């Protein structure tokens, strides 16, 4: 695993995603895809925040869209 991926893994998903502004993009390792999906779904249901995900190599870009 690359150093960048290790650093990304250590960040908590929910607080970072909850604090994202519309249009903001965060990057996570591909290994966290399932956790990202669950967190995004929960935030959509609980707080009305919507996210899109895009996979580029071993990185997942998460963008807040609403």
């Amino acid at each position: 695993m690359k150093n960048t991926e290790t650093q990304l893994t250590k960040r908590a998903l929910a607080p970072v995603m909850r604090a994202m502004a519309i249009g903001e993009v965060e990057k996570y390792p591909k290994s966290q895809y399932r956790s990202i999906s669950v967190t995004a779904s929960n935030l959509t249901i609980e707080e009305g925040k919507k996210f899109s995900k895009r996979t580029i190599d071993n990185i997942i870009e998460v963008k807040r869209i609403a």
Side-chain angles (χ1 to χ4, degrees):
M1 191 180 303
K2 299 176 186 175
N3 288 338
T4 304
E5 290 183 27
T6 302
Q7 291 172 351
L8 294 175
T9 302
K10 293 180 181 179
R11 294 185 307 155
L13 291 171
V16 172
M17 291 175 70
R18 186 174 280 119
M20 289 174 70
I22 293 174
E24 190 174 348
V25 176
E26 292 287 338
K27 295 181 182 181
Y28 294 95
K30 190 175 182 179
S31 62
Q32 287 191 284
Y33 182 83
R34 187 168 296 178
S35 296
I36 292 166
S37 295
V38 169
T39 302
S41 178
N42 287 342
L43 289 174
T44 298
I45 292 167
E46 295 170 1
E47 301 181 20
K49 297 179 179 181
K50 295 184 181 180
F51 300 87
S52 66
K53 299 177 289 296
R54 182 171 82 165
T55 305
I56 302 172
D57 295 322
N58 287 325
I59 302 293
I60 299 188
E61 286 187 353
V62 178
K63 180 177 182 179
R64 177 153 176 225
I65 56 175

